[in-house]
């Protein structure tokens, strides 16, 4: 039996040389995030996004949903549903602005603050440990690179 060899032209431009390793790295990060999300959900049934929302609110006196949406990279519609669930659980409160009744502030409740103080890290513990073991310049470099990559993804939308 004769097997015909098919060769495809491969784009060897400078950018395409990075496509496969970048995708593989992003996939590994995604998989690690999914595994950790399952671990986090065992803590009070919260998702990492719920915890992120609560942690951002814990670091602020108060925020509007619009400000929070940008801080946690969620659309207003997606964030709204999450805020409803967190409010139902008594973890955050909504408060009308005294001067502008159209404006609504989001505040972390005492129960929400207590939960944030007990919550696991948003990152897998193994990663946190290994990351902490890096030199400071390398931690800054990796963080800057990931933030820039995320910014590039955001510019595509």
């Amino acid at each position: 039996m004769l097997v015909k060899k098919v060769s495809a032209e491969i784009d060897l431009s400078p950018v395409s040389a990075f496509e496969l390793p970048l995708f593989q790295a992003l996939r590994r990060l995604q998989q690690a995030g999914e595994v950790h999300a399952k671990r986090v959900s065992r803590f009070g049934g919260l998702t990492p996004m719920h915890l992120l929302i609560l942690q951002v609110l814990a670091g602020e006196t108060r925020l509007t949903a619009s400000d929070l949406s940008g801080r946690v990279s969620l659309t207003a519609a997606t964030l709204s549903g999450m805020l409803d669930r967190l409010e139902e659980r008594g973890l955050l409160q909504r408060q009308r602005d005294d001067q502008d009744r159209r404006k609504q502030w989001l505040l972390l409740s005492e129960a929400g603050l207590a939960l944030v103080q007990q919550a696991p890290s948003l990152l897998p513990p193994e990663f946190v440990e290994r990351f902490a073991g890096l030199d400071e310049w390398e931690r800054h470099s990796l963080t800057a690179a990931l933030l820039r990559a995320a910014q590039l993804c955001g510019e595509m939308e």
Side-chain angles (χ1 to χ4, degrees), residues 50-150:
H50 289 134
L51 281 177
L52 176 62
I53 290 166
L54 296 174
Q55 287 183 1
V56 169
L57 288 174
E60 302 287 335
T61 308
R62 60 187 187 173
L63 283 174
T64 63
S66 176
D67 291 335
L68 182 60
S69 173
R71 299 274 301 275
V72 298
S73 301
L74 289 174
T75 65
T78 301
L79 178 63
S80 178
M82 290 186 170
L83 293 175
D84 289 343
R85 286 187 288 282
L86 292 170
E87 185 178 30
E88 287 168 9
R89 294 184 61 177
L91 301 173
L92 70 84
Q93 301 164 337
R94 298 174 203 234
Q95 184 181 73
R96 291 265 174 223
D97 186 88
D98 293 335
Q99 274 68 43
D100 184 352
R101 302 296 289 163
R102 294 169 298 174
K103 186 182 273 187
Q104 195 174 64
W105 295 105
L106 300 171
L107 309 159
L108 193 62
S109 69
E110 287 190 30
L113 181 59
L115 188 130
V116 166
Q117 291 170 339
Q118 300 168 17
S121 171
L122 288 170
L123 298 170
E126 307 83 19
F127 175 84
V128 172
E129 184 180 322
R130 291 176 188 143
F131 189 76
L134 298 174
D135 289 335
E136 185 176 2
W137 70 266
E138 197 170 10
R139 289 193 304 266
H140 284 287
S141 179
L142 283 169
T143 301
L146 285 170
L147 290 171
R148 183 65 177 123

Side-chain angles (χ1 to χ4, degrees), residues 33-50:
E34 290 168 358
V35 168
H36 186 62
K38 289 177 184 171
R39 283 189 219 143
V40 169
S41 71
R42 292 185 201 121
F43 177 80
L46 297 176
T47 68
M49 286 308 299
H50 289 134

